[in-house]
Amino acid sequence: MDKKDTMFREIIAGLSVRDERIQERIYVHYWGYLMGISTRYFKDRNIAREVVNDSFMKAFKTMYDFRHGGDLLEFQKTFKSWLSTITVRTALDKIRANKTALTYVDEYDEVETGHVDVEQKLFVDDILKLLNELPDLHRAVFNLYEIEGFSHDDIASMLNIPVSSSRTYLTRAKQKLRDLYKKSIKITDGTI
């Protein structure tokens, strides 16, 4: 049995006996993963950290009731997914709380979608930098739709916006990302 399996067995045992000391193990193990999720929604790392810590606080309140089938691999997947869901919802709560960031778009503007030739590999840091250039709501809709896999109906419900606004924000986010990518290629090639 490897270290990781041992740790997850300890987490399962700690949850079953409601041992609060297991919280530190969970926090240390999942902090980086949840921070990765949170930074997809917020470019300000302090806000992202706040969302992660709030997510852990929410998880710690209810984690002792977390049910699983007892299979170690299934537990790892479902527990990680559960923490991820809490973090995404906490990020959305933070976005909704910042009413100045929510500007509703009722019209669906057709945006020309130019083709971008990918001649260079983008690294994760490069993609995050491009995403951080988007306004918060555009970035949230992009993340929810393209990365998390939610439908526009789900996104509209989560963000309390019309479905058409969700579609518009996604279209605008993609267009802005294309423009930023084209600009970054020109800068890299030295054509600007």
Side-chain angles (χ1 to χ4, degrees), residues 27-130:
Y27 184 87
V28 168
H29 183 74
Y30 287 105
W31 190 88
Y33 172 70
L34 298 184
M35 189 64 178
I37 292 170
S38 188
T39 56
R40 288 196 320 248
Y41 291 89
F42 302 99
K43 57 184 162 189
D44 183 331
R45 290 188 66 80
N46 290 326
I47 294 173
R49 278 188 203 100
E50 184 181 321
V51 166
V52 169
N53 288 329
D54 289 349
S55 299
F56 275 117
M57 295 304 293
K58 289 176 183 178
F60 291 158
K61 287 179 184 177
T62 59
M63 72 180 186
Y64 298 106
D65 298 323
F66 183 80
R67 299 288 170 238
H68 57 90
D71 180 57
L72 191 60
L73 287 176
E74 184 176 322
F75 170 78
Q76 290 174 14
K77 289 178 190 174
T78 56
F79 194 73
K80 185 176 184 178
S81 175
W82 179 70
L83 288 173
S84 172
T85 300
I86 291 172
T87 304
V88 168
R89 292 183 189 273
T90 303
L92 295 177
D93 290 344
K94 187 79 165 170
I95 290 169
R96 274 193 301 266
N98 184 3
K99 293 292 183 191
T100 59
L102 292 176
T103 33
Y104 297 103
V105 180
D106 291 324
E107 298 176 15
Y108 180 69
D109 297 334
E110 284 297 322
V111 178
E112 184 180 323
T113 57
H115 178 72
V116 176
D117 289 326
V118 180
E119 297 175 4
Q120 300 174 341
K121 291 183 180 177
L122 282 178
F123 295 100
V124 173
D125 289 342
D126 298 326
I127 294 169
L128 284 175
K129 285 178 189 173
L130 293 177

Side-chain angles (χ1 to χ4, degrees), residues 43 128-135 139 176-177 180:
K43 57 184 162 189
L128 284 175
K129 285 178 189 173
L130 293 177
L131 283 173
N132 283 336
E133 295 294 320
L134 297 175
R139 186 173 51 252
K176 176 81 172 168
L177 286 172
L180 290 168

